[in-house]
Amino acid sequence: MTDRVSFWEWIGFRSVGGIAEAGWGRTLVVAVVSFIYFLPVLFIIFTAIKPQGLALSVPPTLSPTSFFGLIPDQFVFTPTLDNFASVFSRVMTAGGQPESTGFDRFFFNSIVIASASVLLALVIGTLAAYGFSRYPLKGNDTYLFVILTTRMLPAIVVIIPVILMFRAVGLSGSYLGIIMLYAAFNLAFTVWMMKSFFDELSTDVEDAARIDGSSEIKVFFKICLPQVVAGLAATFVFGLILTWNEFLFALLLTGPDTRTVPVAMNQAVSSGGRGTDWTLLAAIETLFLVPVFLATFFLQDHLLRGVTFGTVRK
Amino acid sequence: MQLMSTIRSAKTAPALLELSADNWRLAVLVGLVVSALAVVTLPASGSFWVVGAMSALVAAAFAVNAYRRRYYGGLLVAPAIAVLFVMNIFPLLWSLGLSFFAYQSNLQSIRFVGLNNYIKVLTDEVAAPGNWSALINTAMFAVCTVSAQMIVGFLLAMLFAKQFPLRKYLLILVLTPMMLSVVASGVFFTYYYDPTFGILSYVINSVAGGQFIVMDSKAGAVAGIVFADAWMWSPFVMLLVLAGLVSVPKYLYEAAAIDRVSAWRRFWSITFPYIRGLLMLALLFRTIEAFKLADLVIVLTKGGNDTMTISYHLIRIANEQNKTSEGAAISYIILFIVIVLTNLYLYVANPKNREA
């Protein structure tokens, strides 16, 4: 018994929080389940490196290698990187020259809109969370509940007035409009998540700094903020996941210059009456998945703690 | 005490016409006058920026005033409330107002009709049946996808609840479906379900023989949509439940092991109380999301085979048929249902009510 525990500690696995430890047997079971769960995504990634002609072959081609003869030859295809190139530039009309598809612009739009709105919500929301946590107002809980309610509302309820409002003031199709709108939708959970992080800090250090004559601004930036960096990271990733793939508002409120990838992807694969271009769609989605996948991977420990909106206390 | 009162009295409010940075009353006055002038004289797109600038002026005056008089709470919270008001609460009130008028966004006329829009969308012989069937379909989708997500998410969380080698790398695999664009995953599900080329049909055809078409019947189409939706969003439920499982103190399990408590009993009396609140939260969030289900239906069936949902129906009415005020009435009916459900959940989730 003691032998096994020391072995785990020796290779670097320690019990974290209340989690018990399990061995490689659990790893094997979970690996099989996770792999099956991941299969539809894997198929999309493999389609992205398929030659275009094989996308709709019967029987379907499944894998770029035969895994040492494990997979019969009829299901194996030769991988290619052409699809990724044709995301950005391809022949649009029969017999013509390759043209730019504008996808470099759409990727740029997606990155700008998603990160700007999440950062804006993070700045405003963190200030508000700090206020709710340290200087409670009269009716503090009511304000907090109203803020949470804005997240509960079906987005569809506000979409008609937002379209009318944006048309009236000329914000339709601009960066500012969609960024502000996404920021508002991200604010609710930003405030709740960040408040839970601020609530957990001990106020002793802050009080000591105040007695030593630090201004309130200095207390916030020098003492509180450095302690919640993990919380900021978790909130950022969570907001990114929710904003990155948003389709409905982007479809109705972005113009040709500010179009995001999900909208452009929808148009690229269904236009021209040629039916869906499977390998192209898969290549776009695979490229589009990379940033949010990496962000989630590196911040997943914080994410796990952040998603509970402060309902779980350590 | 003496000192405190001198400090406070040193910061008296400035007189109305005194030109100082914290004179918010003067700022409000100037702001209102200039905005009113701008709205009357300039076109909407121009007056928007003037009103915006005036709001900024008033906000700045309030901010300086709050800082000088140490209302830090209000100062910190105000920007968030302002953004929410402009982008969520104001459109919401506008939408409520619109629902009492007869208005189409492609026509100029607007006329007050009271509750007629609500009566029309609920009882009219032409319009109402479509609304009702979409609403019933949505309720059915909500029950199916939410229960599927809860079960799958819970089971996945149980799998990941222990620390084991490579856990981090396997967890990210399960989280990936959540990060996919609904457009791409939806379109790929049409491929998986495709009767001629699809993988599912290929497998079933080669085993059972004959042509198998998944999306051919209502049951098949619903199952197809529910499967895709549950696959994408079970990881979200898993994250919440997993966070709850991680929070259970280990010594409780150790005590239970010494007392030789059965696994079933251990789950209900130790684990479940820790994850009950989070299960409720997941249930609430996913039910609200289920009422928004539209994009997957658009991609997979376009509402065919009687799979129209209320959100998709609303998009069609409001955006494609330009029946703006009817759409607003429908949105308020959805909102009412969601608020009732939310309060029902919160009532059940509250431990005080559960005991009674």
Side-chain angles (χ1 to χ4, degrees), chain B residues 20-38:
Chain B
S20 91
D22 62 345
N23 191 350
W24 57 271
R25 274 175 275 188
L26 182 64
V28 170
L29 191 71
V30 172
L32 279 179
V33 171
V34 174
S35 307
L37 280 175

Side-chain angles (χ1 to χ4, degrees), chain A residues 8 13-16 18-24 26-27 29-31 33-34 37-38 40-41 43-44 47 55-56 58-60 62 75 124 127-128 130-132 135 137 143 145-147 150-158 160-166 168-169 171 176 180-181 184-185 187 216-217 238 241 245 247-248 252 262 265-266 276 278 281-282 285 289 292-293 296-297 300-301 303-304 307-309 311-312, chain B residues 44-45 48-49 67 72-74 76-77 79-81 83-84 86-92 94-95 98 103 105 152 156 158-181 183-184 187-188 190-192 196-197 199 202 230-231 234-236 239-240 242-244 246-248 250 278 281 284-285 288 292 295 311 314-315 318-319 324 327-328 331-332 334-335 338 342 346:
Chain A
W8 289 121
F13 290 103
R14 294 242 169 84
S15 167
V16 178
I19 312 179
E21 284 174 3
W24 287 94
R26 173 70 76 119
T27 304
V29 173
V30 178
V33 174
S34 306
Y37 207 84
F38 188 70
V41 184
F43 187 81
I44 295 178
T47 306
L56 287 180
V58 180
L62 298 176
F75 297 116
I124 298 175
L127 288 177
Y130 187 70
F132 282 125
Y135 308 100
L137 301 164
Y143 282 114
F145 185 75
V146 168
I147 288 179
T150 60
R151 184 77 218 178
M152 290 177 177
L153 302 176
I156 211 85
V157 178
V158 294
I160 302 163
V162 167
I163 292 171
L164 294 178
M165 192 166 87
F166 277 22
V169 299
L171 277 179
L176 182 66
M180 289 291 284
L181 189 71
F185 276 95
L187 257 181
E216 295 294 323
I217 293 175
F238 198 58
I241 291 178
N245 290 310
F247 178 67
L248 192 59
L252 298 174
M265 175 158 54
N266 191 37
T276 308
W278 296 98
L281 175 66
E285 178 56 52
L289 185 63
V292 70
F293 182 89
T296 313
F297 180 74
Q300 61 168 286
D301 294 338
L303 186 68
L304 193 59
V307 286
T308 59
F309 294 85
T311 47
V312 170
Chain B
S45 54
F48 167 75
W49 294 105
Y67 187 74
Y72 294 121
L76 290 166
V77 170
I81 301 283
V83 169
L84 280 179
V86 174
M87 289 293 159
N88 277 345
I89 298 169
F90 174 67
L92 205 65
W94 186 343
S95 173
L98 268 184
Y103 173 68
S105 57
V152 175
L156 285 174
M158 293 301 272
L159 274 182
F160 280 98
K162 289 188 174 174
Q163 184 64 272
F164 52 83
L166 305 180
R167 176 170 179 260
K168 192 176 172 162
Y169 302 92
L170 296 176
L171 188 62
I172 191 81
L173 290 187
V174 177
L175 289 180
T176 312
M178 204 165 73
M179 299 171 222
L180 289 178
S181 163
V183 179
V187 172
F188 263 89
T190 66
Y191 169 74
Y192 299 144
T196 319
F197 309 108
I199 290 180
Y202 178 78
W231 175 73
S234 296
F236 179 80
L239 267 183
L240 285 176
L242 193 53
V246 172
S247 73
V248 183
K250 206 177 174 184
L278 287 166
L281 198 67
L284 185 64
F285 279 12
I288 291 167
K292 301 182 195 171
D295 29 21
S311 287
L314 177 58
I315 295 171
N319 206 49
T324 313
S331 0
Y332 266 84
I334 303 176
L335 183 58
V338 170
T342 304
L346 292 177

Side-chain angles (χ1 to χ4, degrees), chain A residues 134-148:
Chain A
R134 291 296 189 274
Y135 308 100
L137 301 164
K138 240 181 266 172
N140 212 35
D141 290 347
T142 317
Y143 282 114
L144 278 169
F145 185 75
V146 168
I147 288 179
L148 186 64

Side-chain angles (χ1 to χ4, degrees), chain A residues 9-235:
Chain A
E9 283 179 351
W10 179 63
I11 61 167
F13 290 103
R14 294 242 169 84
S15 167
V16 178
I19 312 179
E21 284 174 3
W24 287 94
R26 173 70 76 119
T27 304
L28 195 69
V29 173
V30 178
V32 170
V33 174
S34 306
F35 181 72
I36 293 170
Y37 207 84
F38 188 70
L39 271 181
V41 184
L42 192 68
F43 187 81
I44 295 178
I45 295 170
F46 280 169
T47 306
I49 53 172
K50 250 180 218 184
Q52 204 179 8
L54 286 179
L56 287 180
S57 59
V58 180
T61 49
L62 298 176
S63 165
T65 83
S66 67
F67 287 106
F68 314 108
L70 211 64
I71 295 171
D73 278 344
Q74 53 175 335
F75 297 116
V76 177
F77 61 88
T78 325
T80 164
L81 288 177
D82 293 349
N83 298 317
F84 292 110
S86 70
V87 170
F88 297 103
S89 154
R90 64 177 182 277
V91 178
M92 307 285 263
T93 47
Q97 290 295 310
E99 303 171 44
S100 165
T101 55
F103 258 90
D104 41 357
R105 179 68 192 253
F106 304 143
F107 272 98
F108 172 79
N109 287 342
S110 263
I111 291 167
V112 166
I113 290 173
S115 48
S117 61
V118 176
L119 282 177
L120 184 64
L122 206 56
V123 171
I124 298 175
T126 305
L127 288 177
Y130 187 70
F132 282 125
S133 175
R134 291 296 189 274
Y135 308 100
L137 301 164
K138 240 181 266 172
N140 212 35
D141 290 347
T142 317
Y143 282 114
L144 278 169
F145 185 75
V146 168
I147 288 179
L148 186 64
T149 320
T150 60
R151 184 77 218 178
M152 290 177 177
L153 302 176
I156 211 85
V157 178
V158 294
I159 200 156
I160 302 163
V162 167
I163 292 171
L164 294 178
M165 192 166 87
F166 277 22
R167 270 186 206 152
V169 299
L171 277 179
S172 199
S174 69
Y175 283 115
L176 182 66
I178 192 89
I179 287 172
M180 289 291 284
L181 189 71
Y182 282 167
F185 276 95
N186 284 336
L187 257 181
F189 71 84
T190 307
V191 170
W192 276 76
M193 277 171 83
M194 288 315 297
K195 181 176 180 292
S196 78
F197 281 99
F198 281 126
D199 282 347
E200 277 175 24
L201 298 184
S202 154
T203 53
D204 294 349
V205 187
E206 295 166 38
D207 291 339
R210 284 199 187 95
I211 290 166
D212 288 348
S214 294
S215 69
E216 295 294 323
I217 293 175
K218 208 168 175 184
V219 168
F220 175 68
F221 281 107
K222 288 275 154 78
I223 294 166
C224 288
L225 216 49
Q227 293 184 70
V228 293
V229 170
L232 292 171
T235 315

Side-chain angles (χ1 to χ4, degrees), chain B residues 116-200:
Chain B
N116 278 358
N117 282 324
Y118 290 91
I119 296 167
K120 188 180 175 195
V121 296
L122 289 177
T123 61
D124 185 80
E125 278 175 20
V126 184
N131 298 335
W132 280 108
S133 75
L135 203 58
I136 292 165
N137 278 338
T138 306
M140 178 196 65
F141 273 119
V143 170
C144 294
T145 67
V146 173
S147 46
Q149 287 167 24
M150 295 299 287
I151 293 167
V152 175
F154 180 80
L155 291 177
L156 285 174
M158 293 301 272
L159 274 182
F160 280 98
K162 289 188 174 174
Q163 184 64 272
F164 52 83
L166 305 180
R167 176 170 179 260
K168 192 176 172 162
Y169 302 92
L170 296 176
L171 188 62
I172 191 81
L173 290 187
V174 177
L175 289 180
T176 312
M178 204 165 73
M179 299 171 222
L180 289 178
S181 163
V182 184
V183 179
S185 62
V187 172
F188 263 89
F189 268 98
T190 66
Y191 169 74
Y192 299 144
Y193 297 152
D194 192 277
T196 319
F197 309 108
I199 290 180
L200 190 63

Side-chain angles (χ1 to χ4, degrees), chain B:
Chain B
M1 212 51 214
Q2 190 69 38
L3 187 72
M4 284 293 281
S5 62
T6 38
I7 290 174
R8 209 166 278 168
S9 62
K11 295 264 170 75
T12 48
L16 179 60
L17 292 177
E18 186 190 329
L19 209 60
S20 91
D22 62 345
N23 191 350
W24 57 271
R25 274 175 275 188
L26 182 64
V28 170
L29 191 71
V30 172
L32 279 179
V33 171
V34 174
S35 307
L37 280 175
V39 170
V40 173
T41 54
L42 294 172
S45 54
S47 64
F48 167 75
W49 294 105
V50 176
V51 173
M54 286 302 119
S55 319
L57 176 76
V58 173
F62 269 115
V64 174
N65 179 57
Y67 187 74
R68 288 199 182 160
R69 291 185 177 69
R70 295 172 180 263
Y71 303 138
Y72 294 121
L75 187 64
L76 290 166
V77 170
I81 301 283
V83 169
L84 280 179
F85 185 83
V86 174
M87 289 293 159
N88 277 345
I89 298 169
F90 174 67
L92 205 65
L93 296 176
W94 186 343
S95 173
L96 183 66
L98 268 184
S99 69
F100 297 119
F101 286 87
Y103 173 68
Q104 298 205 348
S105 57
N106 54 347
L107 302 175
Q108 284 300 313
S109 69
I110 183 161
R111 184 165 52 85
F112 184 76
V113 292
L115 286 173
N116 278 358
N117 282 324
Y118 290 91
I119 296 167
K120 188 180 175 195
V121 296
L122 289 177
T123 61
D124 185 80
E125 278 175 20
V126 184
N131 298 335
W132 280 108
S133 75
L135 203 58
I136 292 165
N137 278 338
T138 306
M140 178 196 65
F141 273 119
V143 170
C144 294
T145 67
V146 173
S147 46
Q149 287 167 24
M150 295 299 287
I151 293 167
V152 175
F154 180 80
L155 291 177
L156 285 174
M158 293 301 272
L159 274 182
F160 280 98
K162 289 188 174 174
Q163 184 64 272
F164 52 83
L166 305 180
R167 176 170 179 260
K168 192 176 172 162
Y169 302 92
L170 296 176
L171 188 62
I172 191 81
L173 290 187
V174 177
L175 289 180
T176 312
M178 204 165 73
M179 299 171 222
L180 289 178
S181 163
V182 184
V183 179
S185 62
V187 172
F188 263 89
F189 268 98
T190 66
Y191 169 74
Y192 299 144
Y193 297 152
D194 192 277
T196 319
F197 309 108
I199 290 180
L200 190 63
S201 317
Y202 178 78
V203 173
I204 292 176
N205 291 349
S206 54
V207 174
Q211 186 83 320
F212 178 80
I213 305 172
V214 187
M215 308 298 272
D216 200 25
S217 62
K218 182 175 180 180
V222 169
I225 293 170
V226 166
F227 183 84
D229 194 52
W231 175 73
M232 278 189 84
W233 290 107
S234 296
F236 179 80
V237 178
M238 181 197 74
L239 267 183
L240 285 176
V241 177
L242 193 53
L245 290 175
V246 172
S247 73
V248 183
K250 206 177 174 184
Y251 63 83
L252 289 179
Y253 288 126
E254 283 161 3
I258 292 168
D259 290 347
R260 294 184 185 282
V261 175
S262 72
W264 182 249
R265 180 80 200 286
R266 199 168 61 216
F267 174 78
W268 283 110
S269 48
I270 300 176
T271 314
F272 189 69
Y274 273 89
I275 58 170
R276 199 169 56 89
L278 287 166
L279 281 175
M280 267 322 195
L281 198 67
L283 196 62
L284 185 64
F285 279 12
R286 292 320 306 164
T287 310
I288 291 167
E289 291 292 321
F291 271 86
K292 301 182 195 171
L293 181 68
D295 29 21
L296 209 52
V297 180
I298 295 176
V299 175
L300 281 178
T301 64
K302 297 215 162 34
N305 273 333
D306 196 15
T307 52
M308 180 64 87
T309 64
I310 192 72
S311 287
Y312 183 23
H313 193 57
L314 177 58
I315 295 171
R316 275 195 170 174
I317 286 181
N319 206 49
E320 290 167 23
Q321 304 174 11
N322 287 311
K323 293 178 186 162
T324 313
S325 53
E326 260 180 58
I330 294 179
S331 0
Y332 266 84
I333 294 168
I334 303 176
L335 183 58
F336 176 75
I337 295 170
V338 170
I339 287 178
V340 168
L341 277 178
T342 304
N343 282 305
L344 207 67
Y345 279 144
L346 292 177
Y347 183 82
V348 175
N350 192 338
K352 278 182 217 150
N353 300 323
R354 202 170 49 106
E355 299 303 323

